């Protein structure tokens, strides 16, 4: 394990989350240009929420969550959510950060 990452797994206070915008998501999408997002579909009408994961104050990963209405369920509770993209920078992979972002996104 890299000397840079050793403090990460021993000190979880190095990890923080914050909500951000689709511009920051775009920077991460450029790292993985083959991923498909709901943003790519012009007919998908959803509210997109973007959660950024930071390690020692530097962006390390991002998860986008889409909240949409189910047109086939005419009730007040007809909204559903889906995980759109989970992207972690290569140097932070294999540490469980993607899993952590999914858990935070579901919370």
């Amino acid at each position: 394990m890299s000397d840079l990452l050793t403090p990460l797994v021993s000190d979880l206070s190095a990890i923080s989350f914050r909500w951000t915008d689709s511009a920051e998501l775009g920077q991460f999408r450029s790292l993985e240009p083959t991923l498909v997002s709901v943003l790519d579909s012009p007919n998908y009408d959803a509210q997109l929420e973007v959660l950024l994961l930071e390690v020692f104050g530097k962006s390390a990963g991002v998860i986008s969550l889409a909240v949409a209405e189910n047109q086939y369920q005419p009730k007040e509770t007809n909204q559903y959510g889906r995980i759109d993209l989970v992207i972690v920078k290569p140097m932070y992979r294999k540490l469980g950060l993607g899993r952590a972002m999914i858990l935070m996104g579901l919370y």
Side-chain angles (χ1 to χ4, degrees):
M1 183 179 303
S2 166
D3 290 335
L4 171 68
L5 301 179
T6 302
L8 173 63
V9 293
S10 63
D11 181 10
L12 293 179
S13 67
I15 298 172
S16 61
F17 295 91
R18 69 175 168 87
W19 292 104
T20 187
D21 56 24
S22 57
E24 197 127 29
L25 174 63
Q27 294 174 4
F28 277 86
R29 285 193 74 186
S30 67
L31 298 174
E32 301 288 344
T34 59
L35 293 180
V36 178
S37 168
V38 296
L39 296 174
D40 301 331
S41 174
N43 298 328
Y44 193 79
D45 184 27
Q47 174 185 346
L48 196 67
E49 300 287 338
V50 181
L51 184 64
L52 178 74
L53 176 134
E54 295 177 318
V55 176
F56 298 114
K58 295 183 180 179
S59 59
V62 71
I63 182 172
S64 58
L65 309 158
V67 178
E69 290 185 14
N70 182 348
Q71 62 185 357
Y72 302 108
Q73 181 143 359
K75 294 183 181 178
E76 290 180 20
T77 59
N78 67 346
Q79 289 190 329
Y80 67 95
R82 78 176 245 189
I83 296 171
D84 181 41
L85 295 174
V86 178
I87 304 171
V88 178
K89 288 183 177 177
M91 73 177 288
Y92 296 106
R93 292 181 183 167
K94 304 287 187 196
L95 297 171
L97 298 179
R99 209 172 296 139
M101 287 190 299
I102 291 171
L103 290 173
M104 286 298 292
L106 293 175
Y107 180 70

